[in-house]
């Protein structure tokens, strides 16, 4: 079994550098690699402690994949209810849009949904799947 993720969600942002800061400060990602000059981010990799991560960059017209900013929905597994509550409190204190408040799910675990500043949906929860 490999410890490296084999699936990497990828996102595009109008202000990728601000998105990186938000993902690090609010959701606990770690900045692993960022390439680009000035405001432009050609490629960034953000890892989560314990495994997984996302790749992102600035919106561009010259790439092979043209994805608009603010598009996406990602589920992020959080190890404990305590950690989930801390993240939820940070998100709420920052006046982040929260379409679904923190709650216990009928299929197990607990979670909530928030949107980053450019509109990507982030579902966070303790449910790890089957």
């Amino acid at each position: 079994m490999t410890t490296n993720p084999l699936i990497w969600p990828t996102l595009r942002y109008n202000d990728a550098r601000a998105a990186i800061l938000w993902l690090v400060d609010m959701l606990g990602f770690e900045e692993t690699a960022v390439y680009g000059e000035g405001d432009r981010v050609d490629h960034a990799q953000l890892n989560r402690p314990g495994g997984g991560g996302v790749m992102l960059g600035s919106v561009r017209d010259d790439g092979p994949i043209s994805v608009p900013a603010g598009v996406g929905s990602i589920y992020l597994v959080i190890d404990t209810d305590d950690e989930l509550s801390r993240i939820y409190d940070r998100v709420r204190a920052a006046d982040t849009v929260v379409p679904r408040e923190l709650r216990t799910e009928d299929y197990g675990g607990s979670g909530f949904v928030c949107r980053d500043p450019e509109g990507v949906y982030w579902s966070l929860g303790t449910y790890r799947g089957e």
Side-chain angles (χ1 to χ4, degrees):
M1 180 160 123
T2 182
T3 59
N4 295 327
L6 301 179
I7 297 175
W8 288 89
T10 59
L11 302 166
R12 293 287 184 223
Y13 288 94
N14 289 313
D15 188 343
R17 295 205 184 266
I20 291 167
L21 290 174
W22 190 87
L23 291 167
V24 169
D25 292 345
M26 290 295 118
L27 304 187
F29 280 91
E30 296 173 348
E31 189 177 306
T32 305
V34 179
Y35 301 97
E37 296 181 15
D39 292 337
R40 188 188 77 240
V41 174
D42 297 323
H43 169 78
Q45 176 182 331
L46 304 180
N47 290 359
R48 275 285 301 167
V54 296
M55 294 185 187
L56 63 96
S58 299
V59 171
R60 346 175 7 165
D61 294 329
D62 63 346
I65 300 172
S66 180
V67 178
V71 174
S73 175
I74 297 175
Y75 179 68
L76 181 59
V77 175
I78 304 301
D79 286 333
T80 67
D81 283 322
D82 287 342
E83 182 184 5
L84 183 64
S85 292
R86 284 192 300 275
I87 294 170
Y88 177 76
D89 290 344
R90 273 197 312 267
V91 164
R92 294 305 278 155
D95 291 327
T96 301
V97 173
V98 178
R100 184 174 44 191
E101 299 293 332
L102 182 59
R103 68 182 193 188
T104 300
E105 302 293 357
D106 57 0
Y107 51 83
S110 55
F112 71 95
V113 177
C114 66
R115 294 185 78 182
D116 70 28
E118 292 200 26
V120 175
Y121 288 90
W122 291 87
S123 299
L124 292 85
T126 56
Y127 177 72
R128 292 188 165 272
E130 298 297 323

